[in-house]
Amino acid sequence: MVPNVETGCKALIKLTENTDSRHRSTTELMRRLWREHIRHFTGWLMLAILLMAVMASATAFSAWLMKPVVNDVFIDRNQDLLWPIGLAVLATFLIKGFANYGQAMLMNFVGLQIIADTQNRLYAHLAHMDLAFFHARSSGTLISRFTNDINQMRNAVSNAITSIGKDFLSLIGLVVVMFIQDWHLALIAFFIFPVAIFPIVRIGRRIRKVTTNTQEEMGLFTTLLGQTFQGIRIVKSYGMETYESGRIAEIVERIRRLNMKAARTQMLTSPIMETLGGLAVFAVIIYGGSRVIEGETDSGAFFSFITALLMAYEPMKRLANLNAGLQQGLASAERLYALLGVKPRITDRANARALTNVVGAIRLDDVRFFYEPNKPALDGVTIDVPAGKTVALVGPSGAGKSTILNLIPRFYDIDSGIITIDGIDIRDVKMESVQANIALVSQEITLFDDTVAANIAYGRGGASQDEVIKAARHAAADEFIEQLSSGYDTIVGEQGIKLSGGQRQRLAIARAMLKNAPMLLLDEATSALDTESERKVQTALSELMRGRTTLVIAHRLSTVVDADLIYVIVQGRVVEKGTHAELLARRGAYKRLYVMQFEEETSGQPLVAAVEA
Ligand code: ATP
C-alpha cells in the first residue's frame, strides 16, 4: 500500500502545531514583540510616524482645499487666487508624495531588518537543538516558520504601525475637515460609515480563512514535490509517474479552487462598495444639495466634505481590518516564540571544561537509554574501546548498534550509567570539544550541493587545498576527483547525485581524514558496491582507521576478522564479546549471526576454513 503522504503531513503539522503553541495573551505577545523586535528601531519608527503625520495633514489639507477651489476659483472666478490655489494643491500633493515615499522606505527598512534578525536568531537557536527535536518535527513545518510566519509577523507589525500612524491620523484629519465644512453632514456620515464598512470587514475575514487553507495546501504541495523529486529514482523504478502526477494534480486542483474562491470573494467587494458608495453619495447629494440650495452651506464646503468623505474610505477600511491582520500576525509570532522557547535538552553543564589531549579510550558503563518510556533501546550496555584499538559491533537489525554510536557524541543523553572518554564523563566536558575529537562516517552520506573540495573541507573551514588533496589521496579519492570535469571544483549536486555510491563514500572518508580526530565512529555501508569500488573503499577505511580508536558497526567479514574485539548486541544488551575466533568457537549468538551475515562472503568455503584462512 502506498503511504498517504497528505494525511501523514497533516497529522504531523497538527502535532507540531499543538506541541509548539502555548496560549499567550494578546498584550503579552505585543509586549514581547515590542521588546524583542520593535524597540531597537524606535528612532527610525518615530521618523516614519512623523512623515506619516505630515502625509495625514497633507491629505486632510488637500480635502479642505476643495472649498477655495470651488468657491473662489469656479464660483467667484477670482483671478488673483487662481495661481496661489493651484500651486497650493500642487505643493500639497508633492509633500504628500514625498512623505509617503519616506515613510514607506523607513517601514520597509525596519520590516526587512526584523525579518533578517528573526531568521538569524531562529536558525542559530535551532542549530543547537538536539536530534530528538528534529525527529519530532517535519522539516517542512520548520521551514514554513522561517518563511510564512516571519513574514506574517513582519506584516502585522508594519501594518499596525502604518495604520496607527498613517490611517488613524489621516482619518482624524479628514473627520476634522468634514466637521469644519458641514457638521450636520458629518454627524450623519458618522452613523452611515460603519454600516458601509461592515460587509467589507466580513469579506476580509472570509478571504483570510480561504488564504489559511490555501497556505496549508501549499505546504502539502511543497512537501509532496520535494519528496517525489528526491525519490525520483524510486518513483520511476516502481512506475509511479502517473500515480504521482495524479496526486499532484489533486492538490493543484484544490489550490486552484481555493484561489478561485478567494478571487470570487474578493471581487464581491467591488459591487458592494459601488452600491454602498453610490447610496452614500446619493444621500449626501440629496441632503447636502438641499442645504446648498437653501443657502445653509456653500458649494465649496459641500465638495470639500465629499472629498474628505471619499478619502476617508481607504484608511477606515484598513483600520477596520487592522485587528484581524494583527491577530494573524500575533498567531505567527506565538508559533515563533514557542519554537524559540524550546530549550535544547542536551546542554553543557555550568562548570564544563574542554576535553583536551585526547587519547581516545571510550567506555560505556551499564548504559541504559530510552527513546520511548518503558521500552529501553539499550539496557545495561558495557563496552570498552581501548585507545587506538578497533572494536566492532554486530547484531541483528534494530538491536541498538546505531544508538550506541549516537550516544558517544551526545546526539542523545543516556538515562543511566556513564560514558567516558579517557576516563572523563562526557557530560562533564563541553559537548563541542567531544564532537571535535570524533569523526563520524555513517551509512547515509551527507554531501552538500557544493564543490568536491568544500565537501571534503566541511567542518575545517581553514583547510588549505594541499590538505584537502592529501586527505583525498589517503581516502583513495584523488584519482576519480581528478577525472571529474572541474576536478576539486566540481559541484557534486544535491546529496552528491553526480557521484557513484563508492565515490560518495570515499569523499565522506576523506572528510573524516581531514578532520583527523583521534576517535572514529563508523557505520559501514550495507549497500553492495562492485568488487573494485569495495576494494577502494576498504583501502580508504583501513587508512582512516590507522592509529585511531575505532568503534565500527560491522557489515563486512574483513572488519570483524581484523577487529581487536567484537561485541554482539541483541535487543539492547551485550550478549557476547571476544575476538572473531573466540566467538566462533563459542558457537553462540555470534556464530548464528556470522552464518547469516557473512557466509556468502566466504564464497561457499566451509566456515572453519574461511576463518583459518
Ligand atoms: P540496524 O542494524 O538496522 O541499523 P541498529 O542495531 O542500529 O539497527 P538502532 O537504530 O540503534 O538499531 O535502533 C534500536 C531500536 O531503537 C530500534 O528498535 C529502533 O526502532 C529504535 N529507534 C531508533 N531510533 C529511534 C528514534 N529516533 N525514535 C524512537 N525509536 C528509535
Side-chain angles (χ1 to χ4, degrees):
M1 206 184 99
V2 182
N4 188 338
V5 178
E6 287 153 43
T7 352
C9 288
K10 270 185 179 151
L12 201 56
I13 289 169
K14 256 208 170 88
L15 178 85
T16 46
E17 300 302 326
N18 287 344
T19 47
D20 279 351
S21 64
R22 256 168 286 151
H23 182 74
R24 287 188 176 83
S25 75
T26 304
T27 34
E28 196 188 326
L29 275 168
M30 300 249 264
R31 236 181 259 148
R32 193 160 171 192
L33 267 175
W34 162 256
R35 217 174 39 235
E36 295 183 19
H37 303 280
I38 309 171
R39 206 180 40 165
H40 326 288
F41 303 105
T42 318
W44 293 113
L45 289 174
M46 294 305 284
L47 190 59
I49 290 174
L50 187 73
L51 288 170
M52 288 178 200
V54 170
M55 208 193 139
S57 312
T59 306
F61 188 62
S62 62
W64 182 85
L65 271 175
M66 285 308 287
K67 185 176 177 177
V69 168
V70 173
N71 285 353
D72 299 332
V73 179
F74 291 102
I75 295 175
D76 294 348
R77 301 176 182 203
N78 188 336
Q79 183 67 40
D80 295 342
L81 285 176
L82 180 63
W83 275 90
I85 290 176
L87 287 174
V89 171
L90 179 66
T92 313
F93 276 86
L94 279 178
I95 290 169
K96 195 172 150 187
F98 279 104
N100 193 26
Y101 171 80
Q103 67 82 20
M105 288 300 285
L106 285 171
M107 290 309 293
N108 268 300
F109 163 74
V110 173
L112 294 173
Q113 199 62 47
I114 289 177
I115 292 186
D117 289 350
T118 318
Q119 281 174 333
N120 286 334
R121 196 174 138 203
L122 190 61
Y123 190 83
H125 178 72
L126 294 187
H128 287 100
M129 296 307 294
D130 46 273
L131 286 195
F133 170 88
F134 290 100
H135 289 168
R137 290 159 179 84
S138 75
S139 56
T141 316
L142 291 178
I143 290 169
S144 97
R145 298 283 174 275
F146 278 88
T147 49
N148 294 345
D149 283 324
I150 289 184
N151 260 322
Q152 282 197 359
M153 187 180 84
R154 172 254 166 123
N155 286 342
V157 169
S158 299
N159 291 346
I161 294 172
T162 313
S163 288
I164 292 163
K166 196 167 89 178
D167 299 328
F168 187 63
L169 293 181
S170 297
L171 195 64
I172 290 185
L174 291 167
V175 168
V176 168
V177 171
M178 283 191 246
F179 271 94
I180 289 174
Q181 305 299 23
D182 191 333
W183 66 268
H184 282 102
L185 273 180
L187 277 180
I188 292 172
F190 248 93
F191 288 106
I192 295 179
F193 229 84
V195 181
I197 285 299
F198 186 66
I200 302 304
V201 175
R202 291 209 45 170
I203 288 173
R205 282 203 194 119
R206 259 179 72 182
I207 292 174
R208 236 181 335 274
K209 215 169 130 200
V210 179
T211 323
T212 311
N213 290 343
T214 317
Q215 268 180 10
E216 208 167 284
E217 292 290 348
M218 281 303 285
L220 288 179
F221 187 44
T222 323
T223 310
L224 198 58
L225 282 179
Q227 277 180 5
T228 51
F229 288 146
Q230 263 173 16
I232 194 71
R233 251 188 283 200
I234 300 296
V235 172
K236 287 194 172 302
S237 61
Y238 283 84
M240 296 297 274
E241 293 95 330
T242 318
Y243 172 79
E244 294 298 354
S245 303
R247 278 209 302 178
I248 292 289
E250 265 176 43
I251 295 195
V252 166
E253 175 60 16
R254 281 206 296 272
I255 293 174
R256 188 193 66 80
R257 283 212 189 127
L258 283 169
N259 280 333
M260 199 55 225
K261 198 166 162 189
R264 262 201 315 269
T265 319
Q266 180 97 55
M267 291 311 139
L268 260 184
T269 40
S270 174
I272 291 177
M273 275 328 287
E274 293 301 323
T275 314
L276 285 171
L279 278 175
V281 174
F282 165 77
V284 168
I285 287 176
I286 297 297
Y287 181 69
S290 65
R291 278 169 56 78
V292 174
I293 292 165
E294 283 161 22
E296 284 167 22
T297 183
D298 59 66
S299 313
F302 176 69
F303 275 106
S304 171
F305 180 89
I306 287 203
T307 310
L309 183 70
L310 294 179
M311 278 181 158
Y313 167 68
E314 276 298 325
M316 186 82 173
K317 193 175 84 175
R318 277 199 296 268
L319 280 171
N321 278 324
L322 173 65
N323 186 44
L326 198 63
Q327 289 306 331
Q328 214 178 358
L330 288 179
S332 287
E334 187 167 17
R335 282 195 287 270
L336 286 169
Y337 290 145
L339 208 51
L340 282 168
V342 183
K343 297 258 178 303
R345 271 188 250 166
I346 305 177
T347 47
D348 284 334
R349 284 182 177 161
N351 52 353
R353 56 203 165 82
L355 187 67
T356 47
N357 301 326
V358 178
V359 184
I362 305 170
R363 184 174 159 81
L364 284 80
D365 201 347
D366 199 17
V367 166
R368 296 189 89 213
F369 174 75
F370 297 81
Y371 287 109
E372 287 158 32
N374 308 323
K375 218 178 119 201
L378 296 181
D379 195 3
V381 167
T382 298
I383 291 175
D384 239 322
V385 195
K389 301 283 184 201
T390 296
V391 169
L393 300 175
V394 296
S397 179
K401 305 178 298 289
S402 308
T403 305
I404 293 173
L405 247 52
N406 282 334
L407 293 179
I408 298 168
R410 286 188 73 193
F411 292 153
Y412 298 95
D413 257 352
I414 55 177
D415 291 293
S416 70
I418 182 169
I419 299 180
T420 60
I421 291 175
D422 296 342
I424 303 168
D425 187 338
I426 55 170
R427 286 166 299 188
D428 287 338
V429 286
K430 288 203 159 69
M431 205 161 26
E432 207 180 83
S433 67
V434 174
Q435 287 164 358
N437 281 290
I438 293 173
L440 175 74
V441 180
S442 63
Q443 274 190 41
E444 306 116 39
I445 288 162
T446 304
L447 292 179
F448 299 96
D449 192 7
D450 203 337
T451 63
V452 169
N455 267 292
I456 295 177
Y458 191 75
R460 275 277 315 267
S464 68
Q465 182 78 356
D466 280 350
E467 286 174 303
V468 170
I469 295 174
K470 200 169 144 206
R473 245 181 231 142
H474 283 138
D478 185 46
E479 203 178 309
F480 89 78
I481 296 172
E482 292 292 1
Q483 282 167 10
L484 294 173
S485 57
S486 314
Y488 281 84
D489 295 327
T490 311
I491 304 281
V492 299
E494 213 174 319
Q495 287 302 343
I497 195 80
K498 295 181 190 164
L499 303 175
S500 77
Q503 290 172 339
R504 282 203 285 270
Q505 281 178 16
R506 278 179 279 157
L507 277 199
I509 295 168
R511 183 189 284 164
M513 200 74 92
L514 189 61
K515 187 170 184 189
N516 197 18
M519 292 171 285
L520 173 65
L521 302 178
L522 179 64
D523 190 356
E524 280 185 339
T526 43
S527 53
L529 295 174
D530 63 67
T531 331
E532 177 63 9
S533 288
E534 173 83 30
R535 195 184 52 74
K536 284 182 178 154
V537 168
Q538 200 57 47
T539 317
L541 278 176
S542 314
E543 187 66 33
L544 179 62
M545 287 156 78
R546 185 179 301 154
R548 289 176 223 277
T549 311
T550 306
L551 184 58
V552 50
I553 299 179
H555 296 290
R556 293 188 181 87
L557 178 65
S558 57
T559 312
V560 286
V561 173
D562 292 342
D564 296 296
L565 200 58
I566 301 164
Y567 283 80
V568 184
I569 316 290
V570 177
Q571 291 190 346
R573 290 166 184 273
V574 176
V575 293
E576 282 179 5
K577 71 170 186 175
T579 62
H580 174 67
E582 285 165 6
L583 289 175
L584 264 193
R586 202 176 288 170
R587 297 180 177 272
Y590 179 75
K591 189 175 159 202
R592 284 194 297 278
L593 264 170
Y594 173 79
V595 172
M596 276 187 333
Q597 276 194 6
F598 306 123
E599 200 182 28
E600 23 187 280
E601 285 187 51
T602 63
S603 325
Q605 299 169 56
L607 272 183
V608 182
V611 176
E612 283 169 357

